Amino acid sequence: MLGDSKAFSGFSANDIAKAKEFYGRTLGLKVSESNGLLTLHLAGGNDVLIYPKPNHTPATFTVLNFPVDDVDHAVDELTKRGVPFEIYDLPDVKTDKKGICVGMVPRSSGSKIRPGIFSP
């Protein structure tokens, strides 16, 4: 029934203007806004809908993943743009001082953008 439907994902944000600024300017993604909704136009033709929710609570799980050729370089560049990365020293999850997971293949990092705009 839905096998040929082009599915898309969505999540909420408490401030669409801030989300547009972050995803469009900070991350450099193509974005469009219509009727109070923000659409991220991702590589490969995929779209993600961001909708306003006044009582939005940031997710406690990964919402978006961006594969990159060089995680170190991507983290360095995003850090320069003000994106904070989470540092973990837990039994099952450890990161280096930049927030890049140690011992994982593929290498990854996590970021939580406040106030509730992007929650991995």
Side-chain angles (χ1 to χ4, degrees):
M1 176 177 141
L2 298 176
D4 293 326
S5 177
K6 185 180 176 191
F8 63 93
S9 181
F11 57 88
S12 67
N14 57 351
D15 188 322
I16 294 297
K18 285 183 181 177
K20 184 177 183 179
E21 175 75 17
F22 173 72
Y23 289 104
R25 290 195 182 260
T26 304
L27 295 187
L29 301 177
K30 292 179 184 175
V31 300
S32 62
E33 188 175 357
S34 178
N35 299 316
L37 303 173
L38 184 65
T39 301
L40 308 180
H41 304 283
L42 305 177
N46 297 317
D47 290 339
V48 175
L49 180 70
I50 302 177
Y51 55 92
K53 185 177 177 189
N55 60 346
H56 166 78
T57 302
T60 59
F61 51 86
T62 302
V63 174
L64 288 173
N65 295 286
F66 294 95
V68 296
D69 292 329
D70 185 339
V71 173
D72 287 288
H73 178 72
V75 168
D76 290 344
E77 288 301 310
L78 290 170
T79 299
K80 288 179 190 174
R81 295 177 186 200
V83 177
F85 285 84
E86 297 292 304
I87 307 296
Y88 295 102
D89 187 14
L90 304 172
D92 295 337
V93 180
K94 295 194 184 304
T95 60
D96 64 15
K97 63 183 179 181
K98 294 191 323 187
I100 299 172
C101 287
V102 177
M104 290 184 67
V105 178
R107 293 177 70 211
S108 64
S109 64
S111 174
K112 289 184 183 174
I113 304 307
R114 293 164 178 80
I117 296 171
F118 171 77
S119 300

